[in-house]
Amino acid sequence: MEIPDMSSVSKYQSLFDFEGISMTHYLTDNWEKVKNFQARPDDILIATYPKAGTTWVSYTLDLLYFGNDAPERQTSQPIYMRVPFLESYIQGIPSGTELADNLPTSPRLIKTHLPVQLVPKSFWEQNSRIVYVARNAKDNAVSYFHFDRMNMGEPEPGDWNTFLQTFIEGNRVFGSWYDHVNGWWEKKQTYSNLLYMFFEDMVEDTGREVARLCSFLGLSTSAEQKEKITKGVQFDAMKQNKMTNYSTLPVMDFKISPFMRKGKVGDWKSHFTVAQNEQFDEVYKQKMKNATVKFRTEI
Ligand code: PPS
């Protein structure tokens, strides 16, 4: 595959308020097309707050649907081309809407990090299936910090403490983690074609979660196939796999941090100081006081 030229992508993107959410231009400059995107009834939207397990679930779904197709798909097409990032509009690769419009597959697998209220309305009108993945706030924050260090299209994170404070304030790209996970959780109460998954469950028992996905999607994948897929989507396998580890996307500097970094539950313990943890827990209690969604910070 051709390595995209992304040399003009700049780290010095400032965040601005977009419909009440902190965003950068790379994610809003194509907004008319995103807003008017035509979803199809068989589309599957993979929605997450950034760094919650998007790539993991995207690749799992890709294997479930297309794992037995022409081998070139698995060997020469990176995951970000197979599963377009809907709102992405970044130099060097086609926009998310363009890629999605031109996907030859059925179903189309489409990725988004949008909070629920900004999802193009055609997904709801078409009753498309949606898989939402959530990850506990502490690990999510740590993963996001390292991503903002290594991704030249993301705003500077500053040091860990500076990053953490902006994360708590909801001032990172795609806004507040708290609003994101709660907004999607509430949607699940009224929209039955939404499966709400947790990163921690995937780590605890990937095979069980693959089976859950199959049952939600009405797939009659054989036990043997499910087992093969469960193996293929393990952290080490995906880290080695050039098509899933993002090493083909030059906007990321793996010398700073790899995309497939640790893939663990509880890595926050090696980042949070005692004081940061106490402050975080205090704010969490406040922000999540009316929330019914529950997270595990260790398994
Ligand atoms: S992105 O940029 O928002 O699309 O990133 P996303 O894919 O949502 O999240 C990246 C984190 O998910 C981890 N990951 C995995 N963990 C365990 N097993 C598998 N197979 C796996 N695939 C991706 C990845 O390592 C990032 O988490 P951290 O904690 O940084 O390692």
Coordinates of all heavy atoms in Angstrom, one line a residue, residues 48-56 111 113 135 139 142-144 146-147 199 203 233-236 238 246 252 258-264 267, ligand 1:
T48 N -17.3 5.6 19.9 CA -16.5 5.6 21.1 C -16.1 7.0 21.4 O -15.9 7.9 20.5 CB -15.2 4.8 21.0 OG1 -14.4 5.5 20.0 CG2 -15.5 3.4 20.5
Y49 N -15.8 7.3 22.7 CA -14.9 8.4 23.1 C -13.5 8.0 22.6 O -13.2 6.8 22.7 CB -15.0 8.6 24.6 CG -14.3 9.9 25.0 CD1 -14.9 11.1 24.8 CD2 -13.0 9.8 25.6 CE1 -14.2 12.3 25.2 CE2 -12.4 11.0 26.0 CZ -13.0 12.2 25.8 OH -12.3 13.4 26.2
P50 N -12.7 8.9 22.2 CA -11.3 8.4 21.7 C -10.6 7.6 22.7 O -10.6 7.9 23.9 CB -10.6 9.8 21.4 CG -11.7 10.8 21.2 CD -12.8 10.3 22.0
K51 N -9.9 6.6 22.2 CA -9.0 5.7 23.0 C -9.8 4.7 23.9 O -9.2 4.2 24.9 CB -8.0 6.5 23.9 CG -7.3 7.6 23.2 CD -6.9 7.3 21.8 CE -5.7 6.3 21.7 NZ -5.4 6.0 20.3
A52 N -11.0 4.4 23.5 CA -11.8 3.4 24.4 C -11.9 2.0 23.8 O -12.5 1.1 24.4 CB -13.2 4.0 24.5
G53 N -11.2 1.8 22.6 CA -11.2 0.4 22.1 C -11.8 0.4 20.7 O -12.3 -0.7 20.2
T54 N -11.9 1.5 20.0 CA -12.4 1.6 18.7 C -11.8 0.6 17.7 O -12.5 -0.1 17.0 CB -12.1 3.0 18.1 OG1 -12.0 4.0 19.1 CG2 -13.2 3.4 17.1
T55 N -10.5 0.6 17.7 CA -9.7 -0.2 16.7 C -9.9 -1.7 17.0 O -10.1 -2.5 16.1 CB -8.2 0.2 16.7 OG1 -8.1 1.6 16.8 CG2 -7.5 -0.3 15.5
W56 N -10.0 -2.0 18.2 CA -10.2 -3.4 18.7 C -11.5 -3.9 18.2 O -11.6 -5.0 17.5 CB -10.1 -3.4 20.2 CG -9.9 -4.8 20.8 CD1 -9.8 -6.0 20.1 CD2 -9.7 -5.1 22.2 NE1 -9.6 -7.0 21.0 CE2 -9.5 -6.5 22.3 CE3 -9.7 -4.3 23.3 CZ2 -9.3 -7.1 23.5 CZ3 -9.5 -4.9 24.6 CH2 -9.3 -6.3 24.6
K111 N -16.6 4.3 11.6 CA -16.2 4.7 13.0 C -16.5 6.2 13.2 O -16.4 7.0 12.3 CB -14.7 4.5 13.1 CG -13.9 5.4 14.0 CD -12.4 5.2 13.9 CE -11.7 6.3 14.6 NZ -10.2 6.1 14.8
H113 N -16.3 9.3 16.6 CA -16.1 9.6 18.0 C -17.1 10.7 18.5 O -17.0 11.2 19.5 CB -14.7 10.2 18.3 CG -13.6 9.2 18.2 ND1 -13.6 7.9 18.7 CD2 -12.4 9.3 17.5 CE1 -12.5 7.3 18.5 NE2 -11.7 8.1 17.8
R135 N -14.7 3.0 28.0 CA -13.6 2.6 28.8 C -13.6 3.4 30.1 O -13.9 4.6 30.0 CB -12.3 2.8 28.0 CG -11.1 2.3 28.6 CD -9.9 2.5 27.7 NE -8.7 1.7 28.2 CZ -7.5 1.7 27.6 NH1 -7.4 2.4 26.4 NH2 -6.5 1.0 28.1
D139 N -8.1 5.0 32.8 CA -7.3 4.4 31.7 C -7.5 5.1 30.4 O -6.6 5.3 29.6 CB -7.7 2.9 31.5 CG -7.1 2.0 32.6 OD1 -6.0 2.3 33.1 OD2 -7.7 1.0 33.0
V142 N -5.3 8.2 30.4 CA -3.9 7.9 30.3 C -3.6 7.5 28.8 O -2.7 8.0 28.2 CB -3.5 6.7 31.1 CG1 -2.1 6.1 30.7 CG2 -3.5 7.1 32.6
S143 N -4.5 6.7 28.2 CA -4.3 6.4 26.8 C -4.4 7.6 25.9 O -3.6 7.8 25.0 CB -5.4 5.3 26.4 OG -5.2 4.9 25.1
Y144 N -5.3 8.5 26.2 CA -5.5 9.7 25.4 C -4.3 10.6 25.6 O -3.8 11.3 24.6 CB -6.7 10.4 25.9 CG -7.5 11.3 24.9 CD1 -8.7 11.8 25.1 CD2 -6.9 11.6 23.7 CE1 -9.4 12.5 24.2 CE2 -7.6 12.3 22.7 CZ -8.8 12.8 23.0 OH -9.5 13.6 22.0
H146 N -1.1 9.8 26.0 CA 0.0 9.3 25.2 C -0.3 9.5 23.7 O 0.6 9.7 22.9 CB 0.3 7.8 25.5 CG 0.9 7.7 26.9 ND1 2.2 8.2 27.1 CD2 0.5 7.2 28.0 CE1 2.5 8.0 28.4 NE2 1.4 7.4 29.0
F147 N -1.6 9.4 23.3 CA -2.0 9.6 21.9 C -1.8 11.0 21.5 O -1.3 11.3 20.4 CB -3.5 9.2 21.8 CG -4.0 9.2 20.4 CD1 -3.6 8.3 19.5 CD2 -5.0 10.2 20.0 CE1 -4.1 8.3 18.2 CE2 -5.5 10.2 18.7 CZ -5.1 9.3 17.8
F199 N -14.6 -1.7 27.4 CA -13.2 -2.2 27.1 C -12.8 -3.2 28.2 O -12.1 -4.2 27.8 CB -12.3 -0.9 27.2 CG -10.8 -1.2 26.9 CD1 -10.3 -1.0 25.6 CD2 -10.0 -1.5 27.9 CE1 -9.0 -1.2 25.4 CE2 -8.6 -1.7 27.7 CZ -8.1 -1.6 26.4
V203 N -11.2 -7.0 27.7 CA -9.9 -7.5 28.2 C -10.1 -8.8 29.1 O -9.4 -9.8 29.0 CB -9.2 -6.4 29.1 CG1 -8.0 -7.0 29.8 CG2 -8.8 -5.2 28.2
V233 N -7.5 -11.0 17.4 CA -7.7 -9.7 17.9 C -7.0 -9.5 19.3 O -7.2 -8.5 19.9 CB -9.2 -9.2 17.9 CG1 -9.8 -9.3 16.6 CG2 -10.0 -10.0 19.0
Q234 N -6.2 -10.4 19.7 CA -5.5 -10.2 20.9 C -4.5 -9.1 20.7 O -4.0 -8.8 19.6 CB -4.7 -11.5 21.3 CG -5.7 -12.6 21.8 CD -6.6 -12.2 22.9 OE1 -6.2 -11.6 23.9 NE2 -7.9 -12.3 22.7
F235 N -4.1 -8.4 21.8 CA -3.3 -7.3 21.8 C -2.0 -7.5 21.0 O -1.6 -6.8 20.1 CB -3.0 -6.8 23.2 CG -2.1 -5.6 23.3 CD1 -2.6 -4.3 23.1 CD2 -0.7 -5.7 23.5 CE1 -1.8 -3.2 23.1 CE2 0.1 -4.5 23.5 CZ -0.5 -3.3 23.3
D236 N -1.3 -8.6 21.3 CA 0.0 -8.8 20.7 C -0.1 -9.1 19.2 O 0.7 -8.6 18.4 CB 0.7 -10.0 21.3 CG 1.2 -9.7 22.7 OD1 1.3 -8.5 23.0 OD2 1.3 -10.6 23.5
M238 N -2.5 -7.9 17.2 CA -2.8 -6.6 16.6 C -1.7 -5.6 16.6 O -1.5 -4.8 15.7 CB -4.1 -5.9 17.2 CG -5.4 -6.6 16.8 SD -6.8 -5.8 17.5 CE -6.8 -4.2 16.8
Y246 N -1.5 0.9 13.0 CA -1.4 2.3 12.6 C 0.0 2.7 12.2 O 0.3 3.9 12.1 CB -2.0 3.2 13.7 CG -3.5 3.4 13.6 CD1 -4.3 2.6 14.3 CD2 -4.0 4.4 12.7 CE1 -5.7 2.8 14.1 CE2 -5.4 4.6 12.6 CZ -6.2 3.8 13.3 OH -7.6 4.0 13.2
M252 N 1.5 9.7 13.0 CA 1.8 9.2 14.3 C 3.3 8.9 14.5 O 3.9 8.3 13.6 CB 1.0 7.9 14.6 CG -0.5 8.1 14.6 SD -1.4 6.7 15.0 CE -3.0 7.2 14.7
P258 N 3.8 4.1 20.9 CA 3.1 3.4 19.8 C 1.6 3.5 20.0 O 1.1 3.8 21.1 CB 3.5 1.9 20.1 CG 3.9 1.9 21.6 CD 4.3 3.3 22.0
F259 N 0.9 3.3 18.9 CA -0.6 3.3 19.0 C -1.1 2.2 19.8 O -1.9 2.4 20.7 CB -1.2 3.2 17.5 CG -2.7 3.2 17.6 CD1 -3.3 4.5 17.5 CD2 -3.4 2.1 17.7 CE1 -4.7 4.5 17.5 CE2 -4.8 2.1 17.7 CZ -5.5 3.3 17.6
M260 N -0.6 1.0 19.6 CA -0.9 -0.2 20.4 C 0.1 -0.1 21.6 O 1.2 -0.6 21.5 CB -0.7 -1.5 19.6 CG -1.6 -1.6 18.4 SD -3.4 -1.9 18.8 CE -3.2 -3.4 19.8
R261 N -0.3 0.5 22.6 CA 0.6 0.9 23.7 C 0.7 -0.2 24.7 O 1.7 -0.9 24.8 CB 0.2 2.3 24.3 CG 1.2 3.0 25.1 CD 0.5 4.3 25.6 NE -0.7 4.0 26.4 CZ -0.7 3.7 27.7 NH1 0.4 3.8 28.4 NH2 -1.8 3.4 28.3
K262 N -0.3 -0.4 25.6 CA -0.3 -1.4 26.6 C -1.5 -2.3 26.6 O -1.5 -3.5 26.9 CB -0.2 -0.8 28.0 CG 1.2 -0.1 28.2 CD 1.4 0.0 29.7 CE 2.8 0.5 30.0 NZ 2.9 1.1 31.3
G263 N -2.7 -1.7 26.2 CA -3.9 -2.5 26.1 C -4.4 -3.1 27.4 O -4.9 -4.2 27.4
K264 N -4.2 -2.4 28.5 CA -4.4 -3.0 29.8 C -5.6 -2.2 30.6 O -5.9 -1.1 30.3 CB -3.2 -2.9 30.7 CG -2.0 -3.7 30.2 CD -1.2 -4.3 31.4 CE -0.4 -5.4 31.0 NZ 0.9 -5.1 30.6
D267 N -3.7 0.5 34.0 CA -2.4 1.2 33.8 C -2.4 2.6 34.4 O -1.4 3.2 34.6 CB -2.1 1.3 32.2 CG -0.8 1.9 31.9 OD1 0.2 1.5 32.6 OD2 -0.7 2.7 31.0
Ligands
PPS1 S1 -8.6 5.7 18.6 O1 -7.4 6.5 18.2 O2 -9.5 6.6 19.4 O3 -9.3 5.1 17.5 O4 -8.0 4.6 19.6 P1 -8.8 3.3 20.1 O5 -8.6 2.2 19.2 O6 -10.2 3.7 20.6 O7 -8.0 3.0 21.5 C1 -6.6 2.6 21.5 C2 -6.4 1.9 22.8 O8 -7.0 0.6 22.7 C3 -5.9 -0.4 22.9 N1 -6.2 -1.6 22.1 C4 -6.2 -2.8 22.7 N2 -6.1 -3.2 24.0 C5 -6.2 -4.5 24.2 N3 -6.3 -5.5 23.2 C6 -6.4 -5.1 21.9 N4 -6.5 -6.0 20.9 C7 -6.4 -3.7 21.6 N5 -6.4 -3.0 20.5 C8 -6.3 -1.7 20.8 C9 -4.7 0.4 22.5 O9 -3.5 -0.3 23.0 C10 -5.0 1.7 23.2 O10 -4.9 1.7 24.6 P2 -3.6 1.9 25.5 O11 -4.0 1.9 26.9 O12 -3.1 3.3 25.1 O13 -2.6 0.8 25.2

